[in-house]
Amino acid sequence: MFDSLRVPVIVAPMAGGPSTPALVAEAARAGAFGFLAGGYLSAASLAGQIDRTRELTGERFGVNLFVPGVRSTADLRPYTERLRPDAQRYGVEPGSPKWDDDAYSAKLDLLVARRIPVVSFTFGVPVAADIERLHEAGSAVLITVTGPEEARQATEAGADGLCVQGFEAGGHRGLFTDDPADPAGGQLHGLLAALRLVGAVTDLPLVAAGGLVHGADVAAVLVAGAVAAQLGTAFLRADEAGTHETQRRALAAAGRPTAFTRAFSGRPARGLVNRFLLEHSAEAPAAYPQLHHMSKPIRAAAGEAGDPEAMSIWAGQTYPLAGDGPAAAIIGRLREQARLALGKNAHRFG
Ligand SMILES: Cc1cc2nc3c(=O)[nH]c(=O)nc-3n(C[C@H](O)[C@H](O)[C@H](O)COP(=O)(O)O)c2cc1C
């Protein structure tokens, strides 16, 4: 799936703005591999992004989708009331707590029709019939997992590869279930532990993700058995990324720790600690995507006001070390660092 890459680096799908056709095309031009992020987009917008990417590059690229989950039955009125003062602060109303499947079927039909080389999934495993349709369309299927039990399920379902996400990763955890009562939901594996545990239960090729920001990190996960490294945060401030200006500034300032929170979306995700995260994390119910819709007007208004305190600023643990500039330069740097790191250490193993 990724054997022919000149640089075994994958630019992660980053929904909500950062992923763009230009970022994906530049990744391909630099010898790496990019993903468009299908999450939150309508099928029509995603189609537009796929077409634009194909105008910009003749190289292979991937598209990522969110697998719909189970609808939470939690009473969300208390959380709406909790968000009201925040909404007032920015002159908006909390959004309505609607559940939806993120237009999953329409987007899957689109990907089958457009014959996308690699289709990746997060938040679960697609049903076998959908995987089969993608295979018939010539797509390889990559499924995000956070531990060995999910890896077993994804392997049985017919995946062609797994993206192993460590807890260092920015953005949403790819957990199959966000039921707080489910023991798998409470497991937090660092990337190296996750790679080792997953590698013990499957023979599928593994892509490693989470906290990788230097070429030596890319080299390290390849040495640990991965076929490629998937980096998100390292590209958040790339010139071609669509990252919001307020988020770029907060990332560049590098002054905040990161933490997991359900407060913005209802699912655990790692982002920069800000006022909204501190005030609401403890009370946020596990109700995705209802909380995503409820907090959306607040996040948008805060962004417009240039205020990072009520935006979700997803980023991995190593974000203070990520730079800016053209994506091709970031990829070139990773490549040189990886070569140096491997060369420097090769003799130590005899
Ligand atoms: C802003 C942001 C948005 C993300 N959106 C998605 C997404 O839409 N789909 C997905 O599978 N992973 C998403 N991720 C997670 C990445 O696929 C990957 O696991 C993560 O970026 C790796 O950790 P790192 O950010 O430390 O490199 C996102 C990550 C970030 C930082």
Side-chain angles (χ1 to χ4, degrees):
M1 197 182 326
F2 300 114
D3 293 345
S4 59
L5 294 180
R6 276 186 285 127
V7 189
V9 165
I10 296 171
V11 179
M14 292 186 281
S19 289
T20 61
L23 181 60
V24 171
E26 280 305 292
R29 200 174 62 80
F33 189 95
F35 274 93
L36 290 174
Y40 309 132
L41 297 180
S42 66
S45 304
L46 181 56
Q49 289 205 8
I50 292 169
D51 294 346
R52 180 69 190 135
T53 307
R54 285 199 162 139
E55 282 166 20
L56 294 173
T57 181
E59 301 286 339
R60 299 164 79 244
F61 65 92
V63 178
N64 173 261
L65 293 185
F66 296 166
V67 177
V70 179
R71 183 188 200 130
S72 158
T73 53
D75 177 7
L76 299 175
R77 281 170 298 188
Y79 202 65
T80 300
E81 289 317 309
R82 168 169 268 284
L83 294 189
R84 214 170 278 291
D86 252 311
Q88 273 162 5
R89 180 194 294 253
Y90 297 102
V92 294
E93 287 286 313
S96 75
K98 66 173 180 174
W99 186 90
D100 60 40
D101 71 354
D102 200 36
Y104 180 74
S105 302
K107 286 190 268 196
L108 196 83
D109 288 350
L110 170 75
L111 301 190
V112 168
R114 291 290 208 280
R115 305 178 76 83
I116 305 297
V118 183
V119 176
S120 78
F121 293 90
T122 189
F123 300 159
V125 180
V127 297
D130 287 343
I131 295 183
E132 217 165 280
R133 286 177 70 206
L134 288 166
H135 282 160
E136 279 165 15
S139 305
V141 173
L142 189 69
I143 296 179
T144 307
V145 301
T146 61
E149 182 43 42
E150 291 173 351
R152 254 190 222 104
Q153 291 178 38
T155 304
E156 270 170 31
D160 301 292
L162 305 179
C163 178
V164 180
Q165 188 193 44
F167 73 59
E168 304 91 336
H172 283 97
R173 298 190 67 205
L175 292 168
F176 288 7
T177 167
D178 181 34
D179 179 351
D182 187 308
Q187 290 282 315
L188 285 170
H189 299 298
L191 179 56
L192 280 181
L195 274 176
R196 195 55 58 213
L197 290 165
V198 167
V201 300
T202 185
D203 292 327
L204 291 178
L206 306 180
V207 169
L212 310 175
V213 75
H214 190 282
D217 308 339
V218 174
V221 294
L222 260 65
V223 170
V227 297
Q230 177 163 303
L231 284 67
T233 300
F235 293 97
L236 271 175
R237 291 169 58 222
D239 293 349
E240 299 85 354
T243 310
H244 195 288
E245 208 39 57
T246 309
Q247 293 169 325
R248 281 183 188 264
R249 274 200 297 275
L251 291 164
R256 300 164 188 263
T258 67
F260 284 124
T261 183
R262 277 196 186 86
F264 293 101
S265 71
R267 258 186 172 271
R270 183 182 292 283
L272 269 52
V273 171
N274 59 10
R275 184 180 52 74
F276 191 100
L277 182 148
L278 289 172
E279 285 179 4
H280 304 305
S281 290
E283 303 299 326
Y288 177 92
Q290 291 95 322
L291 267 61
H292 165 79
H293 294 301
M294 292 159 79
S295 71
K296 191 174 179 176
I298 300 169
R299 289 183 279 124
E304 260 173 51
D307 179 357
E309 297 301 338
M311 299 182 84
S312 49
I313 308 176
W314 302 143
Q317 287 186 319
T318 51
Y319 87 91
L321 305 176
D324 55 11
I330 297 172
I331 291 164
R333 208 155 49 228
L334 291 168
R335 183 173 191 229
E336 283 315 305
Q337 292 166 339
R339 287 160 72 107
L340 260 175
L342 286 168
K344 207 162 55 184
N345 287 297
H347 72 280
R348 302 189 62 191
F349 296 94

